[in-house]
Amino acid sequence: MQRGAVFNGTLVNSLVEAEGAAVASAATTNIWTIDGSTIHITGTTTITSFGTATQAGAWKKIIFDGALTLTHGANLNLPGSANITTAADDF
């Protein structure tokens, strides 16, 4: 997906939803070192952190390839302050 305005033949203020490499789940699964804004997470290891974003307002679309637990805590603030168990194709 690409959105933005064209100025002198150049796309500016664009949003590119490119798929990056898959990353294996780990306690700290650093999604910010992966190119692309869409990332598949493989594995079943519980995640307690996604690392530190490169800047405020940065975002990634994460697709889980299997079941794992996201643990609510200081480094991962989840809705309802509750852990979340993922399933394949959750995002």
Side-chain angles (χ1 to χ4, degrees):
M1 170 174 61
Q2 239 179 1
R3 296 182 187 174
V6 176
F7 180 74
N8 289 337
T10 302
L11 186 65
V12 294
N13 298 325
S14 64
L15 172 64
V16 179
E17 196 170 326
E19 187 157 338
V23 62
S25 61
T28 298
T29 303
N30 192 345
I31 61 172
W32 304 104
T33 59
I34 306 299
D35 289 339
S37 57
T38 301
I39 298 171
H40 281 261
I41 295 183
T42 63
T44 59
T45 302
T46 295
I47 297 175
T48 58
S49 173
F50 286 118
T52 302
T54 54
Q55 67 182 43
W59 64 274
K60 299 269 187 176
K61 178 180 179 182
I62 300 169
I63 303 170
F64 296 94
D65 289 347
L68 59 80
T69 301
L70 300 174
T71 302
H72 174 80
N75 296 315
L76 191 57
N77 189 2
L78 300 172
S81 301
N83 296 345
I84 297 173
T85 300
T86 69
D89 296 325
D90 280 354
F91 64 96

